[in-house]
Amino acid sequence: KWSETYTLKTGKPGDAASGIEMQMCVDKNTWHQRISMDVAGIEQEVLEFTIGHAEDAEAQEVQELLTYIVYEGTSEKEYSNGIRDKDREPGTTLDYFCSHIKATKAGLSRAEVVALRLYTTAAYRYMNGPLRDEERKARNEPCPLPVVTYFAAQ
C-alpha cells in the first residue's frame, strides 16, 4: 500500500515564524472574513473552489465530502484511498463528532471538527500539497482551501 516515499520538508525558520497565513498567499480580508464565519466560511470557500474547478472531478468530490460531513449521517462508501467511515455506526452526525469527549477535551470548535473530518478525506491533497509547493509560493498563488487548512491546523 505504501509504495511511494517522500522527502520530509521542514521549511525555513523565517517562513515558519511568519505563520501559515503568509505561507498560503491569501487575500487577508477574505481569509479573515471567512474564518469569522466558521463552518459557513468553509462552505463558501469550498463552493468557490469547486466552481473554479468545474472540470476537475477530484475537486468536485471535495464539495460532496463537505456536504456529507456537515449535513448527512455517516455511511460507508468506497473511495480510491479507502472506505469512508468504515465500521462506524450508520447515521452518526456532525453533532456527535463535535460533542465527542476527544473533541471537547481538545476544545475543538465545530469548524475545526469539520476541517479535520474533511482533512481525513481526499481533500487533504488540496491542503497539504499547496503548502509544500515552493513554486506556488514564489508565484504568490493562493492555496486553494486556506480557511479549511487554517481550521485543520488549529
Side-chain angles (χ1 to χ4, degrees):
K1 179 177 178 179
W2 306 103
S3 60
E4 297 181 46
T5 59
Y6 296 95
T7 302
L8 177 64
K9 288 192 77 161
T10 58
K12 300 173 189 148
D15 288 347
S18 67
I20 196 168
E21 179 179 345
M22 296 300 291
Q23 303 309 307
M24 293 192 289
C25 306
V26 295
D27 172 72
K28 291 177 186 179
N29 292 331
T30 302
W31 191 61
H32 287 288
Q33 178 187 22
R34 286 188 177 161
I35 288 169
S36 73
M37 296 168 62
D38 295 316
V39 174
I42 291 173
E43 290 178 301
Q44 192 176 73
E45 175 177 88
V46 169
L47 178 61
E48 185 177 290
F49 169 70
T50 55
I51 289 170
H53 295 83
E55 303 301 318
D56 183 347
E58 287 182 357
Q60 297 304 307
E61 187 176 75
V62 175
Q63 179 67 59
E64 172 192 318
L65 290 163
L66 179 63
T67 299
Y68 166 75
I69 290 165
V70 175
Y71 297 106
E72 299 173 17
T74 56
S75 62
E76 290 186 1
K77 182 175 178 180
E78 190 164 351
Y79 288 91
S80 62
N81 64 336
I83 299 173
R84 174 184 77 191
D85 287 321
K86 183 171 175 50
D87 299 326
R88 189 174 306 280
E89 181 71 29
T92 304
T93 66
L94 178 58
D95 287 339
Y96 168 82
F97 293 103
C98 291
S99 64
H100 191 280
I101 190 158
K102 290 182 180 181
T104 58
K105 278 188 173 185
L108 297 179
S109 70
R110 191 172 188 85
E112 290 165 340
V113 171
V114 168
L116 288 168
R117 293 259 304 144
L118 194 57
Y119 181 77
T120 64
T121 71
Y124 82 93
R125 290 183 203 116
Y126 299 103
M127 298 161 77
N128 279 2
L131 288 175
R132 294 184 175 123
D133 186 350
E134 294 294 325
E135 292 176 11
R136 177 203 57 80
K137 280 181 18 186
R139 294 188 306 269
N140 200 36
E141 180 181 311
C143 283
L145 298 174
V147 175
V148 178
T149 303
Y150 167 82
F151 281 117
Q154 296 305 300

